[in-house]
Amino acid sequence: MGFDITRALPLVQLQHIDKVYDNGEIAQKVLDDLSLTVYQGEYVSMVGPSGSGKSTLMNLIGCLDRASGGAYRFKGTDVYQAYSQEQLSDMRLRFIGFIFQNYSLFPKLSALENVMTPLMYNQTPRGARKAIAMEALERVGLGDKARNLPCQLSGGQQQRVAIARALVKKPELILADEPTGNLDSENSAMILELFEQLHKDGNSLIVITHEDQVARHSQRMITLQDGRVV
Amino acid sequence: MTAMYMDTLFTAVRSINAYALRSLLSSLGIAVSVGAMIAVVSVIQGFSSKVSGQFEGFGANSLTIQPVFDYQAQLRGKYATLRASDLDIIRDNVQGIDAITPEITVVGRYSAQAGYQGKVINTDVRGTTATWKELFLRYPDKGRFITTADDAYRRKVAVVGHQVVKDLALPDDPTGEYLQIENEWFRIIGVLDKRGKNLGMNQDDLILIPFNTAISLTEFEISPSFWFQMQVLDMEKMQAVQQRIRMLLRKNHGLKKGEEDDFEILTADQFMDSFKSITQTITIVLGGIVSISMIVGGIGIMNTMIMSVTERTREIGIAKALGAPRKMLLLQFLLEAVILSLYGGVTGIALGYVLSELIAFFAQFPSPVIPVWIVLFSMGFSVVIGVLFGFTPAFKAANLEPIDALKFQS
C-alpha cells in the first residue's frame, strides 16, 4: 500500500481528551485522558465492546460534539479554540464524510438527490451538481438507481448511496459508524471492498465497528476499553 | 448568495409537496379566512361602486332640498315643511340655478294604486316636471316625457317604468293606453328607460305624472314626501346659492331667529361622503373581524410546522451532520410556513371570488367588485402570518443539536 508514515501529515490529533456526560445527578466519564493520532491517507478501525466510548469518540472526531477537556487538532488547527458551533458545522461540511449504521438517507429524496445535498450545502454551482453526484453514484456502482427513493433500494444499496453522499464533496476524512452493522455478509463484503478502494485512492478512513471481520480490513486497529486506548 | 436562497426555496417547496395532504389542511384555515374577507369586502365594494355610479349620474352640481321634521312635530300632525310656494320663490329669486325640479309622492289613504283592465298594483307614483329627466339622466324608451304644458294644464298623463308595464300586463308599446291611478284615468305617454335594481329598490317600478296634476290628486295639501332638486350652474357658487336658498326658505316659512331650519339642503357630494363613510366603516369592522380568523389560521400553520419539525427531527439531524448551514435550515422552515400561508392566501382569493359571485347571485346584490388593495392586503397579511407563526418552529429546527437529533427515534 502507498502509505508511508514517515511522510504522512497528522490529520486527527486528540490529546488528553476527556468526555463527561453530566445529567445533573450523575456525571459519567465516557472518555478518559484519551490521546490518539490518525494520519492522512490512513485506514483505521476502532473496535471495542459497547460502552467503551467508540460512538462518543466518533462524534468528537466528526465535530458533532465537543470534548469536556483536552485538545483536538484537525490538520493542525485547534478545533475547540478556533471554532464556534457554526464553524464546527462548516468543518463537517468541508472536511468530513459521515456514514451511519442506519444509512440516514433523506427518505423523500431520490438516490441522486440525496447525493446532491452536500453539494447544495457547500454551494457548488447548480449546473455542476448533477454530474458530480452522478459520478459518485457510479463509483459505488449505483448509476442505474439514481432515480430510486431509499425505500426502493436494498440495505446494501442504501449504504452505498450514503457512501456516495459522503464522497461527493471530496472530504479529508471518511468517518463510518458500524457501516456494515445492518447488512448481510455479501453486502458487507461489497462495502468493505469499496472502503479498500477508497483507501487506495488516497482517502483517509476511520471505521468504527465491533466486528473483527470488518476491522481486519483496515491498516491499523485501535482498541478502546472504558474510554481509553488499549 | 442568491443561489442559496433559490436552493432553500426549492427544498421548502419539495417538502411541502412531499406532505401534500397535511399542507393542504394546514393552509385551509388561512384560505377560509382570506376567502371570507375577500367575499365580504367585494360585496360591500360592489354596493358602493353601484351607488357611487348612481350619484355620479345624478351630478356633483346638484342640490337637494328636503323637509326635516321631528317626532314631536309629527305627533302634532305637522308632516311636511316644504310647500309648492317654496319652489316658486327659489325659481324667481335665486340666480345661477337650472332644472329646478319638484318631486312629490302621490299617496292614497295608504299607498298609490294603479290599475289596468281589472289588474291593480301598488306602486310608486310621483309628480314631477319636465326637467326631471335632465336631473336624473333618464329618458323615455318609447313615447315622450312630461312637458311644461302637461304640468301647466294639469293633464292626466303618465310615464311608466318597465316594471309597471310588466306587472299591469300592458302592451309592449303602451303609449295611448289608459290606466287608473287613485280612481282617475291617465293616458300613458311614454315608457322610462330600464335601470334595474339598486340597493333592493326597483328603479323601474314607478309612474311619473305632472307635478300640478299630482298636487291636485293628493289628499294632503302638504305632502310629507315633497322635495325638490336643482342644478347649480357654477360649482364655485355652490356655497352662495345654498346660503341664498336657506335665507329665502327661512323667510317663507316664517322661522324666527334661533329656530332650527325645518328643511335640509344637501349636495350630491354630501350624499356620497356619508355613504362612503358608512361603507368604509362596515368594511373596516368586518375586515377586522375576519383578520382575527387569519390569526387562528396562522396558529393552525404553526401547529403543523411544529409537528413537522418534530416528525423530521432525524432528518434535520442528518442535514446538520452533513454540515447544512444553520441559516439555511432556519430559512427553509420559515419559507415552508410562508409558502403554506401563501397557498392559503391564493386559494382564499379564488374562494372569495367564487363566494362573492354566489352571494351576489343568490341575494340579488349588485355584482361584487374585488378591489386590488384587498388582494394585495390578503397576500401581504398571509406572508406576515407565515413569518410570524413560522419563526418558533423554524428556530426549533435550526437550534437542534445534531447528536440529539440523530439519536431521535420517531
Side-chain angles (χ1 to χ4, degrees):
Chain A
M1 290 184 201
F3 179 74
D4 177 0
I5 201 157
T6 55
R7 289 201 347 230
L9 295 166
L11 181 65
V12 169
Q13 282 174 288
L14 296 169
Q15 288 159 338
H16 310 294
I17 289 287
D18 289 328
K19 179 68 184 178
V20 181
Y21 286 118
D22 190 352
N23 66 2
E25 288 172 22
I26 24 171
Q28 191 189 359
K29 202 162 195 175
V30 182
L31 296 180
D32 185 9
D33 194 28
L34 184 144
S35 296
L36 171 69
T37 305
V38 176
Y39 292 88
Q40 272 178 9
E42 255 194 308
Y43 180 2
V44 175
S45 61
M46 269 178 215
V47 292
S50 59
S52 60
K54 299 191 304 279
S55 289
T56 305
L57 186 56
M58 151 134 175
N59 287 342
L60 291 182
I61 295 173
C63 299
L64 286 165
D65 202 359
R66 282 163 188 272
S68 312
Y72 174 23
R73 288 173 193 280
F74 192 90
K75 286 184 85 181
T77 314
D78 192 323
V79 172
Y80 299 143
Q81 285 209 339
Y83 291 92
S84 67
Q85 196 67 30
E86 225 139 296
Q87 284 164 319
L88 280 184
S89 164
D90 194 47
M91 295 255 320
R92 293 197 291 272
L93 178 59
R94 282 164 62 192
F95 300 128
I96 296 161
F98 284 98
I99 296 159
F100 299 98
Q101 179 174 3
N102 54 9
Y103 328 130
S104 291
L105 298 176
F106 295 105
K108 301 270 180 182
L109 299 184
S110 72
L112 183 66
E113 286 168 323
N114 261 290
V115 179
M116 280 164 74
T117 42
L119 301 176
M120 179 174 85
Y121 297 149
N122 71 13
Q123 288 298 297
T124 303
R126 182 176 282 275
R129 289 178 201 167
K130 210 166 189 169
I132 298 172
M134 204 57 212
E135 200 188 309
L137 264 184
E138 270 157 15
R139 195 163 166 198
V140 298
L142 286 174
D144 56 333
K145 303 279 186 206
R147 291 176 171 279
N148 290 40
L149 288 174
C151 61
Q152 296 164 328
L153 298 171
S154 73
Q157 288 170 331
Q158 286 190 52
Q159 193 59 298
R160 281 190 281 158
V161 173
I163 292 171
R165 185 176 66 183
L167 284 178
V168 75
K169 56 188 176 182
K170 304 201 166 33
E172 295 279 344
L173 174 66
I174 294 167
L175 261 183
D177 186 4
E178 302 278 7
T180 58
N182 289 1
L183 299 176
D184 57 32
S185 56
E186 195 183 331
N187 275 305
S188 294
M190 200 184 280
I191 299 291
L192 292 172
E193 207 173 298
L194 204 53
F195 281 174
E196 260 167 65
Q197 191 57 49
L198 293 175
H199 177 229
K200 268 184 199 151
D201 295 345
N203 289 291
S204 320
L205 287 103
I206 298 177
V207 177
I208 290 170
T209 181
H210 62 271
E211 294 171 78
D212 285 349
Q213 190 79 19
V214 174
R216 265 204 296 275
H217 282 79
S218 69
Q219 244 181 333
R220 177 150 72 104
M221 209 192 309
I222 297 171
T223 309
L224 285 182
Q225 192 147 30
D226 299 326
R228 291 165 188 269
V229 178
V230 292
Chain B
M1 210 52 195
T2 6
M4 192 191 104
Y5 291 125
M6 288 305 287
D7 288 333
T8 313
L9 183 66
F10 279 124
T11 313
V13 171
R14 274 209 65 134
S15 55
I16 286 174
N17 291 341
Y19 302 93
L21 180 67
R22 190 172 69 191
S23 307
L24 183 82
L25 289 177
S26 65
S27 60
L28 210 60
I30 297 279
V32 169
S33 36
V34 167
M37 179 153 66
I38 297 265
V40 163
V41 169
S42 61
V43 165
I44 294 172
Q45 291 295 316
F47 268 119
S48 173
S49 81
K50 175 102 186 206
V51 172
S52 302
Q54 301 276 327
F55 278 127
E56 263 147 35
F58 204 71
N61 57 348
S62 74
L63 266 187
T64 303
I65 300 167
Q66 62 180 36
V68 171
F69 39 82
D70 57 29
Y71 185 60
Q72 290 292 325
Q74 280 188 52
L75 285 181
R76 290 197 303 271
K78 201 177 174 197
Y79 281 100
T81 50
L82 288 179
R83 53 208 76 168
S85 64
D86 289 339
L87 194 64
D88 299 325
I89 285 172
I90 293 171
R91 193 182 283 134
D92 296 343
N93 293 294
V94 183
Q95 294 196 331
I97 58 169
D98 194 19
I100 176 161
T101 307
E103 237 188 277
I104 184 164
T105 307
V106 177
V107 284
R109 215 157 282 282
Y110 302 107
S111 69
Q113 285 190 333
Y116 176 75
Q117 292 185 350
K119 249 196 173 114
V120 177
I121 58 163
N122 284 312
T123 184
D124 185 10
V125 179
R126 294 184 206 174
T128 190
T129 57
T131 45
W132 189 91
K133 60 185 186 301
E134 281 112 51
L135 258 174
F136 291 95
L137 300 171
R138 292 189 65 178
Y139 299 93
D141 266 354
K142 300 187 180 85
R144 64 172 177 86
F145 198 73
I146 296 162
T147 60
T148 320
D150 292 333
D151 191 38
Y153 295 110
R154 297 185 179 183
R155 281 183 191 139
K156 290 183 178 157
V157 291
V159 177
V160 297
H162 272 277
Q163 191 62 43
V164 175
V165 174
K166 199 179 147 200
D167 290 349
L168 282 179
L170 291 163
D172 270 352
D173 185 357
T175 52
E177 297 288 324
Y178 282 85
L179 56 72
Q180 218 175 3
I181 300 169
E182 294 296 311
N183 300 323
E184 301 278 346
W185 287 99
F186 283 74
R187 186 164 55 88
I188 298 171
I189 53 170
V191 180
L192 270 180
D193 54 1
K194 208 168 189 164
R195 278 295 167 91
K197 278 186 183 171
N198 183 28
L199 298 176
M201 286 192 326
N202 191 336
Q203 301 186 88
D204 297 322
D205 189 8
L206 90 166
I207 300 175
L208 295 176
I209 59 176
F211 177 63
N212 280 313
T213 317
I215 293 276
S216 67
L217 216 66
T218 35
E219 295 197 356
F220 303 103
E221 211 251 297
I222 305 165
S223 163
S225 42
F226 170 47
W227 63 95
F228 37 91
Q229 280 157 338
M230 69 203 74
Q231 273 174 345
V232 177
L233 295 175
D234 186 355
M235 278 296 278
E236 302 272 304
K237 299 221 173 88
M238 188 56 106
Q239 203 71 24
V241 167
Q242 282 187 45
Q243 264 167 13
R244 173 100 181 126
I245 291 173
R246 180 159 179 253
M247 204 199 76
L248 286 167
L249 291 187
R250 281 187 71 87
K251 199 173 149 200
N252 196 39
H253 294 183
L255 294 176
K256 296 185 189 77
K257 246 188 190 163
E259 272 187 286
E260 298 264 333
D261 287 350
D262 54 1
F263 55 88
E264 220 174 354
I265 304 173
L266 297 167
T267 62
D269 279 354
Q270 280 169 307
F271 269 128
M272 213 145 116
D273 284 351
S274 56
F275 182 78
K276 268 189 182 157
S277 79
I278 290 169
T279 53
Q280 223 162 42
T281 312
I282 297 173
T283 308
I284 290 169
V285 168
L286 288 178
I289 293 170
V290 176
S291 301
I292 294 170
S293 73
M294 287 278 283
I295 291 170
V296 177
I299 293 171
I301 286 188
M302 179 157 74
N303 223 333
T304 310
M305 289 303 299
I306 287 179
M307 212 169 76
S308 162
V309 169
T310 309
E311 211 177 273
R312 284 192 274 168
T313 299
R314 240 198 94 75
E315 251 178 86
I316 295 164
I318 301 168
K320 290 209 128 184
L322 294 181
R326 183 176 174 277
K327 214 165 99 187
M328 211 162 167
L329 284 173
L330 189 69
L331 198 64
Q332 183 198 326
F333 281 91
L334 203 55
L335 272 175
E336 277 186 37
V338 171
I339 292 167
L340 279 181
S341 189
L342 266 177
Y343 270 1
V346 173
T347 318
I349 289 167
L351 196 71
Y353 175 77
V354 174
L355 212 62
S356 62
E357 291 289 340
L358 284 178
I359 291 171
F361 178 76
F362 284 110
Q364 297 205 311
F365 288 159
S367 61
V369 173
I370 300 180
V372 180
W373 66 262
I374 190 67
V375 173
L376 295 179
F377 175 78
S378 17
M379 299 294 278
F381 206 42
S382 302
V383 172
V384 169
I385 289 281
V387 171
L388 224 59
F389 290 97
F391 249 115
T392 314
F395 265 113
K396 196 175 159 203
N399 291 344
L400 280 173
E401 286 293 335
I403 36 170
D404 296 338
L406 278 173
K407 272 187 234 152
F408 185 85
Q409 298 295 325
S410 52

